[in-house]
């Protein structure tokens, strides 16, 4: 996706040098936290364009999306993990497995803690999991981290100065973090400071991706995520949580075919679990499908590199969240 796609409205932080560094640093950052703490919003702000779905609904992120931030002397590959949670379905278990894989080879962890919520059991569970994988217990009972663990206190626009100071003290007492950075990704406040801290704690290493590349996602995956995001925005609370989107194919026009409309045809299947959910997705006189097509026209054109037609088909895959074969077919 190019830098202008579904832009956040701010210039991306690409290609700006970080002060005081002569060596080139690169590596993978796992962005972790419980559901709905602002992982995708922060990642989009760091990369400078929308590559991950940001929504107020928990469990919005369903795969480990990789965003790439390149500066003059560093490259960060951000792995946006699904929120770690207690699984209630086979899909939930698969999402936790995705987190496990994402953490396997990272060089650094960004642990997101929202400023407007108390540190709770979910945060403690994540900390315990990170300690078991990335820390060694010292004789005095404290933990020595094998890789840097950065606390990122999100949503600071919700607090006044005194409340923020108190929150930062709480976070400092919660774990032995390498560094703590407050941020409001939504207001774009302190995003460059987050980037700089992540770079400072990264090991030396080579550039892994071309400077202009912003994500590792394939066009099909990016379009599928955008379609799901557009329905989340359009339907809000009405949307069945069991919505899955698959791009079946992108058919490019044949320049030698006189009957071709000259557009790339993007065939998209939208799956729900029950027949009763289909009308919710389609809307009265197909209004929801029409609005989603309209909203995504420009980003989809950019992703496929030419004018495109989005063909949306709503289908039923009964109880797919708990069916191993259906989960596999839907890419989980």
């Amino acid at each position: 996706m190019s830098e202008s796609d579904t832009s956040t409205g701010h210039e991306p932080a690409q290609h700006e040098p970080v002060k005081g560094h002569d060596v080139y640093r690169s590596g993978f950052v796992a962005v972790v936290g419980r559901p709905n703490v602002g992982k995708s919003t922060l990642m989009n702000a760091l990369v400078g364009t929308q590559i991950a779905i940001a929504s107020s609904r928990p469990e919005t992120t369903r795969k480990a999306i990789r965003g790439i931030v390149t500066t003059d002397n560093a490259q960060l590959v951000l792995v946006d993990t699904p929120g770690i949670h207690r699984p209630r379905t086979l899909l939930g278990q698969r999402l936790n497995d995705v987190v496990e894989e994402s953490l396997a080879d990272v060089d650094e962890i960004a642990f997101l803690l929202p400023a407007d919520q108390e540190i709770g059991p979910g945060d403690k569970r994540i900390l315990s999991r990170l300690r078991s994988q990335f820390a060694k217990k010292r004789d005095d009972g404290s933990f020595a981290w094998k890789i840097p663990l950065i606390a990122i206190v999100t949503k600071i626009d919700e607090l006044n100065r005194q409340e923020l100071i108190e929150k930062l003290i709480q976070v400092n007492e919660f774990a032995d973090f390498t560094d703590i950075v407050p941020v409001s990704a939504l207001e774009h406040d302190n995003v460059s400071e987050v980037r700089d801290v992540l770079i400072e704690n990264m090991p030396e290493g080579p550039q892994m991706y071309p400077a202009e590349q912003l994500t590792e996602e394939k066009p099909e995956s990016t379009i599928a995520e955008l379609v799901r995001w557009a329905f989340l925005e359009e339907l809000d609370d009405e949307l069945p949580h069991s919505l899955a989107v698959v791009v079946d194919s992108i058919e490019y026009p044949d320049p030698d075919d006189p009957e071709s409309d000259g557009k790339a045809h993007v065939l998209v299947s939208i799956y729900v679990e029950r027949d009763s959910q289909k009308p919710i997705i389609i809307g009265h006189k197909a209004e929801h499908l029409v609005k989603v097509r309209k909203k995504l026209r420009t980003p989809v054109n950019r992703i496929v590199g030419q004018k495109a037609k989005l063909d949306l088909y709503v289908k039923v895959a009964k109880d797919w969240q708990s069916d191993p074969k259906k989960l596999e077919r839907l890419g989980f």
Side-chain angles (χ1 to χ4, degrees):
M1 214 191 263
S2 73
E3 286 178 9
S4 53
D5 298 340
T6 35
S7 172
T8 53
H10 297 272
E11 284 305 302
Q14 317 289 81
H15 311 302
E16 295 170 19
V18 177
K19 299 179 205 93
H21 288 274
D22 300 322
V23 298
Y24 199 92
R25 297 177 182 276
S26 69
F28 291 81
V29 184
V31 183
V32 304
R34 53 195 162 86
N36 197 21
V37 293
K39 294 187 294 294
S40 300
T41 305
L42 177 66
M43 197 157 140
N44 290 336
L46 284 165
V47 173
T49 190
Q50 182 174 345
I51 55 159
I53 294 183
S55 162
S56 60
R57 294 165 68 100
E59 282 184 49
T60 301
T61 300
R62 288 183 178 167
K63 55 209 310 200
I65 293 169
R66 288 179 172 180
I68 302 159
V69 179
T70 305
T71 71
D72 285 350
N73 48 17
Q75 190 169 72
L76 300 173
V77 184
L78 306 166
V79 185
D80 177 26
T81 59
I84 300 173
H85 61 290
R86 276 215 172 91
R88 291 187 302 277
T89 61
L90 185 56
L91 170 65
Q93 183 54 56
R94 293 269 167 99
L95 296 187
N96 275 2
D97 293 344
V98 169
V99 176
E100 204 66 62
E101 285 168 32
S102 312
L103 291 174
D105 295 307
V106 295
D107 302 285
E108 184 176 15
I109 296 165
F111 189 168
L112 272 59
L113 296 152
D116 62 341
Q117 295 169 38
E118 289 301 310
I119 291 169
D123 301 307
K124 290 171 185 163
R125 196 160 58 244
I126 293 168
L127 181 63
S128 158
R129 183 172 181 171
L130 292 174
R131 277 175 173 162
S132 68
Q133 199 166 346
F134 298 107
K136 212 169 104 198
K137 204 164 190 178
R138 297 189 184 103
D139 294 337
D140 64 0
S142 66
F143 287 87
W145 291 95
K146 297 172 190 169
I147 61 174
L149 178 72
I150 314 296
I152 299 179
V153 182
T154 60
K155 309 185 184 185
I156 59 169
D157 49 299
E158 303 282 339
L159 306 187
N160 63 36
R161 186 168 171 74
Q162 186 53 40
E163 287 169 335
L164 179 58
I165 290 167
E166 287 167 16
K167 183 69 189 182
L168 294 176
I169 291 167
Q170 274 177 25
V171 170
N172 189 46
E173 289 168 355
F174 175 52
D176 187 14
F177 291 107
T178 312
D179 210 332
I180 299 172
V181 196
V183 68
S184 170
L186 209 55
E187 301 293 327
H188 224 78
D189 180 12
N190 229 27
V191 172
S192 57
E193 179 64 24
V194 171
R195 182 204 61 183
D196 293 355
V197 167
L198 292 176
I199 288 172
E200 281 161 21
N201 285 282
M202 208 27 99
E204 288 183 35
Q207 183 173 322
M208 297 175 283
Y209 297 88
E212 67 281 358
Q213 189 173 338
L214 301 182
T215 180
E216 212 187 41
E217 290 289 282
K218 291 178 182 162
E220 289 84 353
S221 298
T222 306
I223 292 170
E225 286 292 279
L226 277 177
V227 170
R228 205 160 60 85
W229 167 78
F231 277 108
L232 281 169
E233 294 283 294
E234 178 64 29
L235 295 172
D236 197 30
D237 292 339
E238 286 179 84
L239 182 82
H241 197 272
S242 55
L243 188 80
V245 180
V246 176
V247 173
D248 299 312
S249 66
I250 301 175
E251 297 169 3
Y252 288 89
D254 179 355
D256 301 324
D257 180 1
E259 292 183 16
S260 167
D261 60 4
K263 293 179 179 177
H265 284 239
V266 183
L267 305 179
V268 181
S269 293
I270 298 151
Y271 292 94
V272 289
E273 287 194 305
R274 293 189 294 280
D275 288 306
S276 60
Q277 294 169 336
K278 277 179 79 171
I280 299 172
I281 302 297
I282 295 166
H284 180 58
K285 293 185 178 174
E287 64 174 334
H288 297 320
L289 300 184
V290 170
K291 283 181 182 171
V292 165
R293 271 196 205 100
K294 194 173 176 185
K295 183 179 271 189
L296 297 183
R297 185 180 296 140
T298 304
V300 169
N301 287 351
R302 288 194 182 122
I303 293 164
V304 301
Q306 65 168 94
K307 282 194 170 176
K309 183 170 181 276
L310 204 54
D311 292 325
L312 304 173
Y313 299 95
V314 184
K315 303 174 180 180
V316 177
K318 288 205 186 324
D319 301 323
W320 68 262
Q321 291 190 85
S322 302
D323 184 322
K325 280 185 181 162
K326 286 175 185 167
L327 276 172
E328 199 130 321
R329 209 169 70 229
L330 297 174
F332 297 105

